[in-house]
Amino acid sequence: MEELADESAETVDSEAINFHDFHRPRHHPDLWHKTREFYSFLLDAKARGHYAYRRTLLEGSTARTLVVDPRTGEPRRMILMASNNYLDLCTDPRVISAARSALEQYGCGSGSVSLLAGTQDIHRRLEARLAAFYGREAAAVFPTGYSVNVGTISALLGPGDLALVDLYAHASLIDGTKLAGCLTKFFKHQDLDHLARLLTRLRQSYHGVLIITDGVFSMDGDVCRLRELIELKEAYGARLLVDEAHAVGVLGEHGKGTEEYAGVLGQTDLITGTLSKAPGGLGGYVVGSAEVVEYVRHFAGSYVFSTSLPAPVVGGLLAAFDLLEHDHARRARLGDNAAYFARRLREAGCVVENTVTPIVPVIIGDELITRKIALDLHDQGIFAAPVTFPAVPKLRSRIRFSVMSSHTREELDYVVDVMQSLLGRHRVSIRAGAPP
Ligand SMILES: Cc1ncc(COP(=O)(O)O)c(C=O)c1O
């Protein structure tokens, strides 16, 4: 007990250690001890001006939005380069008007989980819309994209089954495999020879096998090799789940995502996705055959035990899907902006990951320098996301820019110029993407 009362955690030097140091096991008898250390780290990082998380927006998630400056506490209009609202749908007047009508008809919350009293006709309309959008029999809508992945994978896999997961797959997919209790093996990012070797070695020793990948990888912006993944899963009698969180609305002529982009519509066993990025709302979905979707609906804990989406969000999403599917000009603007921005950054000497999407990551390498650059960008009126371990490997810290359809060329040019000067100031070796 004496040790539990120990208050002796020293002041932590936030420039000497990194976030990832806190992921190591601490082995202290007081569970709270690590929180005291981390809190000290946090206070020091804020005081020294390299804490760039949880900045506060005073308006919607638009290309130029009002943000509270963490140093002065004053509002400041900034170029937002960190939003997943790629198509500007969450503040579109037609989406707002549909959300308002639903609010007036149904009220704010749904009052129950879906299987009990939480299914309103508007939820059924959204599920039917999603199933039709993907040309599948059925869809189930979950409270978030995170919960759909955790729930779906843990419902479908169990001990004796095998999950083969791309090393860069989103955390929610990996968390799903942990909850499932199956064996999980990672294949090297986009390395399908490695995946084939794992299938050859392990397929016969397990019951069900699920290959799991992002459609568009959330921290890199590259697109999975869907056609070859489909060939592999068929050759080995496995199933394939693709998370379309960053692909929906973005890839393909009608925004149907990776399948449309790769010319393999309808060939993935199971699609999950989120309604919180290009669709501009909140929630997650699983789309597939009626049998699989109904099974997931009844056995995914995050569906069974969690309240359904509020109707205003669902109403807004129904309007958003009409725009997302049919407003080709908006999607074209987004694609042009993303390609232009990545090209200009590369010309300026930045190391940009192999992206073909609005996710444009500039590799910095070192975690502390990445966080400092994020705040320097802020000082210049640019809101961009520093991404460090565990979201990416330790020495691959990056500034992750997200492009929107409404960014102007002037805004994008300005960001490139500032980024170029900051890399020079922080002596980041531009070609290598790492500090000297
Ligand atoms: C690939 C991927 N899957 C799932 C999610 C989770 O979605 P949500 O934020 O809607 O819970 C995210 C994003 O946060 C993501 O990037």
Side-chain angles (χ1 to χ4, degrees):
M1 280 312 287
E2 235 165 64
E3 269 193 283
L4 289 185
D6 170 24
E7 298 287 329
S8 66
E10 325 95 54
T11 306
V12 174
D13 177 351
S14 64
E15 301 216 348
I17 63 170
N18 279 320
F19 259 66
H20 64 74
D21 293 310
F22 290 94
H23 285 266
R24 292 202 195 105
R26 313 301 278 180
H27 302 308
H28 193 281
D30 180 5
L31 280 175
W32 274 211
H33 183 264
K34 55 181 165 285
T35 70
R36 209 174 303 142
E37 272 183 358
F38 182 70
Y39 198 65
S40 169
F41 167 84
L42 216 56
L43 293 180
D44 192 62
K46 284 183 185 175
R48 293 162 87 163
H50 53 85
Y51 181 81
Y53 297 115
R54 277 197 100 219
R55 281 169 276 174
T56 307
L57 277 67
L58 297 168
E59 291 179 348
S61 189
T62 55
R64 273 195 182 257
T65 193
L66 209 56
V67 180
V68 179
D69 193 298
R71 300 204 225 266
T72 63
E74 294 299 316
R76 169 168 190 192
R77 193 151 300 280
M78 301 182 68
I79 305 173
L80 182 59
M81 301 286 306
S83 172
N84 301 313
N85 179 26
Y86 303 123
L87 293 170
D88 297 275
L89 290 177
C90 68
T91 49
D92 186 279
R94 285 156 289 188
V95 172
I96 292 173
S97 154
R100 190 175 289 128
S101 308
L103 175 68
E104 276 156 19
Q105 185 176 348
Y106 300 91
C108 191
S110 77
S112 174
V113 298
S114 296
L115 288 183
L116 300 179
T119 298
Q120 294 159 321
D121 59 338
I122 199 164
H123 294 102
R124 288 192 181 271
R125 286 214 297 281
L126 180 60
E127 291 185 342
R129 181 78 176 85
L130 285 164
F133 178 73
Y134 283 108
R136 300 303 213 279
E137 284 178 352
V141 169
F142 282 59
T144 66
Y146 183 91
S147 70
V148 79
N149 284 336
V150 169
T152 300
I153 293 170
S154 60
L156 291 171
L157 289 116
D161 294 325
L162 172 66
L164 294 172
V165 187
D166 186 289
L167 190 58
Y168 287 7
H170 190 258
S172 54
L173 297 163
I174 298 166
D175 288 356
T177 65
K178 289 182 190 156
L179 198 59
C182 57
L183 179 78
T184 302
K185 291 275 181 201
F186 292 94
F187 57 95
K188 287 183 214 148
H189 179 52
Q190 300 267 36
D191 184 341
L192 301 194
D193 291 336
H194 187 206
L195 173 60
R197 286 199 299 279
L198 288 172
L199 280 162
T200 307
R201 185 154 59 85
L202 299 170
R203 175 66 191 97
Q204 294 313 322
S205 313
Y206 290 86
H207 304 301
V209 178
L210 186 65
I211 300 167
I212 299 175
T213 182
D214 292 17
V216 169
F217 288 89
S218 57
M219 295 301 140
D220 296 77
D222 53 336
V223 183
C224 77
R225 298 162 60 186
L226 188 54
R227 190 174 279 275
E228 292 146 281
L229 283 164
I230 290 167
E231 281 165 15
L232 269 181
K233 68 105 182 163
E234 280 172 1
Y236 286 87
R239 297 287 184 182
L240 173 64
L241 181 154
V242 180
D243 175 359
E244 289 286 86
H246 292 276
V248 61
V250 171
L251 290 184
E253 192 191 342
H254 300 91
K256 292 180 193 228
T258 313
E259 280 192 345
E260 196 181 16
Y261 178 78
V264 291
L265 274 175
Q267 294 184 41
T268 307
D269 293 304
L270 205 56
I271 288 178
T272 62
T274 152
L275 298 162
S276 62
K277 303 191 195 299
L282 180 70
Y285 54 88
V286 53
V287 185
S289 72
E291 289 172 0
V292 175
V293 169
E294 284 309 319
Y295 185 89
V296 169
R297 199 192 288 287
H298 290 83
F299 293 98
S302 55
Y303 185 90
V304 175
F305 300 110
S306 200
T307 295
S308 58
L309 284 181
V313 171
V314 180
L317 283 165
L318 282 165
F321 262 87
D322 288 337
L323 294 166
L324 178 149
E325 189 169 357
H326 301 298
D327 190 343
H328 302 298
R330 197 187 284 247
R331 190 166 17 263
R333 265 198 317 277
L334 176 65
D336 288 350
N337 270 352
Y340 176 80
F341 185 57
R343 178 171 59 75
R344 287 277 290 103
L345 281 169
R346 287 194 183 104
E347 282 166 6
C350 299
V351 177
V352 178
E353 286 293 46
N354 182 25
T355 176
V356 290
T357 65
I359 300 167
V360 183
V362 174
I363 304 299
I364 306 298
D366 181 76
E367 178 177 323
L368 177 63
I369 295 179
T370 303
R371 285 191 271 122
K372 286 185 171 174
I373 290 179
L375 279 211
D376 289 344
L377 284 165
H378 183 102
D379 287 341
Q380 310 274 343
I382 300 161
F383 189 135
V387 179
T388 61
F389 183 85
V392 292
K394 278 181 203 155
L395 294 175
R396 302 288 293 168
S397 291
R398 63 199 62 190
I399 300 291
R400 178 183 182 274
F401 292 105
S402 302
V403 175
M404 295 163 76
S405 63
S406 57
H407 281 130
T408 63
R409 288 291 153 99
E410 291 70 33
E411 286 163 349
L412 298 176
D413 285 341
Y414 172 72
V415 177
V416 171
D417 291 346
V418 172
M419 196 60 195
Q420 188 177 28
S421 75
L422 287 179
L423 293 186
R425 187 193 306 167
H426 286 279
R427 303 180 58 238
V428 172
S429 127
I430 35 190
R431 292 288 163 204

